[in-house]
Amino acid sequence: MCGIVGYIGFQWAAPILLEGLRTLEYRGYDSAGIATVDPEQGLKIARSTGKLHNLLVKLTADMPTAKLGIGHTRWATHGGVTEENAHPHCDERGRIVVIQNGIVENYLELKEHLLERGIPFSSQTDTEVIAHLLGLYTQELGSFTAAFGQVMGQLRGGNAVVAVDRDSPDQLIAARLGNAGAVVVGEGEGENFVASDLPAIVRHTRKVVFLEDGEMAILTESSVRYQRITGEELRKSSTTVAWDPISAAKGGYKHFMQKEIFEQPRTTTDTLRGRVDIEHGRVLLEGLALSEEQLAQIEQIHAVACGTAWHACLVLKYFVESIARTPVEVDYASEFRYRSPVLRPNSLLLALTQSGETVDTLAAMAEAREQGIPTLGILNAIGSQASRLADGGVIYIHSGPEIAVASTKVFTGMLMAGYLLALQIAQAKGILTPAQMQTHLQSVIELPGKISLLLKDTALYDHLADQYHHVTDMLYLGRWVNAPIALEGALKMKEISYIHAEGYPAGEMKHGPIALIDERMPVVCIATRDPVYEKMLSNIEQVRARGGRVIALINPEDTQVREKADHIIEVPSTTPLLSAILNTIPLQLFSYAMALRRGADVDQPRNLAKSVTVE
């Protein structure tokens, strides 16, 4: 959620901080600020509400020339969207300055203690208690580093904290507590960086270190030292990442979301690379820590995720149960641990998350670990916290940075990876022969090309947007494996166009949603060929009988639905299960066209954040 950037080195810090924050705008924010420290200039802080442009306007007349600084984009939790609540925050002496991502769960207790000591507060944020505590302990202990570790030990909850001391302008300190947002340290030459995500620093260095829970980093311009918050020194190895700023550029597209939709032929191919041996009819998932013998013994899978990734779990349930004949139970990660789940021996937790930092998903993984159940992750972000918690291994989908808040290419990447996992389990259990595997794999290999066909002509979606951009409600219907795709299509429409849209299994339409259908209601019907196609025809007839406008996804050879629908979107034919992946693309394009027509902020829709790192 919140974006964090820190710099110490030989360059002016402010431009680097602003550039880094700009690359993190996709995370969602409502205010921004930077603080710089210089031996001669002292501490300078600039904050503003709204977009980064507002902060830049403030700084234009007096851009700091300090070579040490920290920057932050805030997503409000404690306290409203005001300049006073924007980060960074100072202690009462104006010596210590702090930025934070997360929630201090015991902040009221800490604040009460500070108020009893007569310390005044200038904001309603939980972050300010960290600054005041650091100020007190730095004064008492005579060491900013020792004070930082002591204060981190008092905080409860998941937090990423970065701080600087006006009186120690030669260092910057960062820490990670629990499963809040990531803390990435970038090691450069004569300069060092810290950030909440790779895009903020990868332009400057590809040599990075990821902090774990309870670890801190002390950065100077020439070195980085790592230790536990309790003081023990650590040796941490750096990782060289391949991402570069070019991959995060729009590349001629109007929006990142548009670019990411059109990247899906490549990204789905990347998910398959090196994992498909069609000649021998085998799947090779290199990231699995579980042997084929262990996979063969799995009796049940618990799939957990949030938002779009939860819809991917629902699709994966069909994949795994149909192909590998292994039962799958799907949970919202935010509810999983609160229902006291019973995880039996020979179970597997399957966690899906783009960022690998979603706090509820990480908590579900921790619950599985406590019950002695292995966890397998389907992830996009390399080196994330989820990848380190996944003791059963990680299947990276290799989609690259997804900048738009509304997920597109990562969703289809998750589905591709999930299909391969279903095949891998079936392979391990001896359910499919190599010849049967070859048939499945051939269909998978053909998908990227079929996605390309769906992206060739998008004029239809502009036409639909012209007709329906004024509506306030929409209904999405699908059956079998496409019921979750109806949910995902409706979510995309809600997220970026702000139209109230509901997704339903079509068979449930008569149990409530049918009351909403009239001549003003567009109904998107996913009617590609599958085992319940005839039942979907009946549902379409029921929509028509009540005057609903039918927008139908069909295969090119279909004639029955073509005669009944008001609008047709043709989708290339594939196997029934894999139709879920292809049917996703038109719904993404439709949502994008509607949002564009309505003038919405496509990449950063209101009230949403890319990575939800607090409950």
Side-chain angles (χ1 to χ4, degrees):
M1 298 191 46
C2 303
I4 285 175
V5 184
Y7 174 80
I8 184 168
F10 59 88
Q11 303 184 67
W12 288 3
I16 293 173
L17 300 176
L18 292 167
E19 172 205 28
L21 293 176
R22 188 169 290 109
T23 68
L24 298 177
E25 283 188 304
Y26 66 91
R27 296 168 69 94
Y29 67 101
D30 49 47
S31 59
I34 68 168
T36 57
V37 177
D38 182 83
E40 297 179 4
Q41 299 173 357
L43 172 64
K44 288 188 174 183
I45 296 177
R47 301 182 296 188
S48 69
T49 58
K51 297 294 185 181
L52 273 171
H53 173 75
N54 300 336
L55 179 61
L56 182 60
V57 169
K58 276 193 169 187
L59 291 167
T60 300
D62 186 23
M63 184 68 70
T65 57
K67 298 176 181 178
L68 164 64
I70 55 179
H72 188 272
T73 49
R74 175 181 185 251
W75 188 263
T77 52
H78 293 81
V81 182
T82 66
E83 192 166 301
E84 292 75 18
N85 288 333
H87 295 212
H89 290 284
C90 280
D91 70 321
E92 65 172 333
R93 295 178 179 81
R95 174 180 174 179
I96 307 297
V97 63
V98 174
I99 56 178
Q100 176 228 4
N101 181 9
I103 293 176
V104 181
E105 294 179 358
N106 59 332
Y107 106 97
L108 286 175
E109 173 189 331
L110 296 172
K111 185 173 182 178
E112 183 176 326
H113 166 71
L114 291 165
L115 289 171
E116 287 174 356
R117 297 191 60 163
I119 295 177
F121 279 72
S122 60
S123 77
Q124 294 82 48
T125 68
D126 54 344
T127 307
E128 193 178 349
V129 302
I130 304 174
H132 289 310
L133 286 170
L134 279 172
L136 286 175
Y137 280 95
T138 300
Q139 189 176 25
E140 291 175 7
L141 299 175
S143 166
F144 178 49
T145 303
F148 190 91
Q150 189 107 346
V151 171
M152 295 305 104
Q154 293 189 29
L155 305 182
R156 291 205 306 267
N159 292 280
V161 182
V162 181
V164 293
D165 176 6
R166 180 197 62 199
D167 295 346
S168 302
D170 59 347
Q171 67 175 354
L172 176 158
I173 306 181
R176 176 175 187 153
L177 306 175
N179 292 324
V183 178
V184 184
V185 176
E187 299 180 346
E189 296 292 333
E191 56 184 357
N192 289 297
F193 309 79
V194 66
S196 52
D197 208 352
L198 286 170
I201 59 176
V202 74
R203 177 176 178 177
H204 303 282
T205 179
R206 297 183 184 178
K207 187 178 178 183
V208 299
V209 174
F210 299 91
L211 295 190
E212 305 282 353
D213 176 22
E215 294 181 353
M216 53 189 280
I218 301 96
L219 290 72
T220 69
E221 67 176 24
S222 59
S223 67
V224 182
R225 182 163 54 89
Y226 302 96
Q227 65 180 57
R228 302 286 301 172
I229 62 172
T230 48
E232 299 93 341
E233 294 290 326
L234 293 172
R235 290 184 177 274
K236 293 184 71 70
S237 300
S238 62
T239 299
T240 301
V241 296
W243 289 0
D244 57 68
I246 297 173
S247 65
K250 291 180 182 175
Y253 290 99
K254 189 169 185 178
H255 296 95
F256 280 112
M257 183 178 178
Q258 183 190 31
K259 174 178 180 282
E260 288 155 11
I261 290 172
F262 278 79
E263 285 179 333
Q264 287 173 108
R266 176 185 61 78
T267 57
T268 50
T269 300
D270 289 345
T271 304
L272 299 176
R273 290 188 192 280
R275 293 168 168 170
V276 172
D277 180 359
I278 193 166
E279 182 179 351
H280 299 98
R282 290 187 60 79
V283 171
L284 310 165
L285 294 177
E286 76 289 346
L288 292 182
L290 301 172
S291 66
E292 289 220 333
E293 291 75 16
Q294 290 172 305
L295 285 175
Q297 293 171 7
I298 292 172
E299 297 175 358
Q300 185 173 37
I301 294 174
H302 297 267
V304 297
C306 298
T308 284
W310 182 74
H311 294 155
C313 284
L314 294 175
V315 177
L316 266 57
K317 176 181 175 71
Y318 286 91
F319 289 173
V320 174
E321 291 188 349
S322 297
I323 295 171
R325 308 306 300 151
T326 303
V328 178
E329 185 174 323
V330 177
D331 275 274
Y332 287 108
S334 57
E335 295 295 325
F336 181 71
R337 66 192 187 278
Y338 295 119
R339 69 173 178 83
S340 301
V342 178
L343 308 182
R344 301 187 184 282
N346 295 329
S347 295
L348 173 71
L349 186 88
L350 179 62
L352 275 65
T353 164
Q354 189 284 135
S355 67
E357 301 292 343
T358 304
V359 65
D360 290 315
T361 305
L362 296 176
M365 297 172 76
E367 174 71 26
R369 176 173 288 189
E370 286 181 12
Q371 295 196 37
I373 301 301
T375 296
L376 174 64
I378 294 181
L379 314 174
N380 188 42
I382 297 171
S384 62
Q385 180 72 353
S387 70
R388 299 189 287 277
L389 289 176
D391 50 3
V394 174
I395 304 172
Y396 284 116
I397 62 176
H398 302 307
S399 293
E402 188 176 66
I403 306 304
V405 168
S407 181
T408 51
K409 63 179 181 176
V410 166
F411 178 71
T412 51
M414 286 178 172
L415 298 189
M416 292 288 273
Y419 197 85
L420 294 181
L421 175 62
L423 292 175
Q424 179 90 63
I425 296 172
Q427 175 179 290
K429 293 189 173 189
I431 293 172
L432 297 177
T433 65
Q436 290 171 322
M437 287 284 288
Q438 285 176 324
T439 301
H440 279 282
L441 294 176
Q442 183 60 43
S443 297
V444 171
I445 289 170
E446 292 172 358
L447 276 184
K450 292 179 178 181
I451 293 174
S452 295
L453 293 176
L454 286 165
L455 297 171
K456 274 192 172 182
D457 184 6
T458 60
L460 168 62
Y461 305 102
D462 296 330
H463 172 68
L464 289 173
D466 285 339
Q467 289 204 39
Y468 295 111
H469 69 275
H470 62 280
V471 303
T472 57
D473 302 278
M474 294 184 68
L475 188 62
Y476 285 68
L477 300 176
R479 301 198 74 143
W480 197 58
V481 74
N482 283 302
I485 301 305
L487 299 179
E488 173 60 16
L491 177 62
K492 282 293 161 285
M493 189 63 72
K494 280 184 280 199
E495 283 181 316
I496 65 170
S497 73
Y498 315 141
I499 292 172
H500 173 244
E502 292 297 331
Y504 264 87
E508 292 295 301
M509 180 180 65
K510 295 187 293 293
H511 297 279
I514 197 168
L516 300 172
I517 298 175
D518 59 20
E519 65 278 0
R520 297 183 300 274
M521 172 75 80
V523 183
V524 178
C525 299
I526 304 174
T528 48
R529 293 278 181 174
D530 59 28
V532 290
Y533 171 78
E534 298 295 335
K535 296 185 182 298
M536 194 68 204
L537 282 177
S538 175
N539 296 131
I540 290 173
E541 289 284 13
Q542 293 163 25
V543 172
R544 291 184 69 212
R546 285 150 184 87
R549 304 294 303 277
V550 176
I551 303 169
L553 276 63
I554 66 169
N555 294 132
E557 66 275 12
D558 188 294
T559 57
Q560 296 183 72
V561 177
R562 192 182 298 272
E563 295 173 355
K564 304 176 188 300
D566 297 280
H567 308 278
I568 290 299
I569 300 173
E570 289 191 359
V571 180
S573 298
T574 184
T575 61
L577 283 172
L578 289 173
S579 70
I581 297 177
L582 292 182
N583 288 333
T584 298
I585 310 301
L587 304 186
Q588 294 173 350
L589 290 167
F590 185 27
S591 298
Y592 175 76
M594 288 283 275
L596 204 63
R597 184 66 175 79
R598 289 166 63 90
D601 189 340
V602 174
D603 286 336
Q604 297 176 56
R606 67 191 184 202
N607 301 333
L608 294 178
K610 184 66 177 175
S611 179
V612 181
T613 57
V614 296
E615 285 195 80

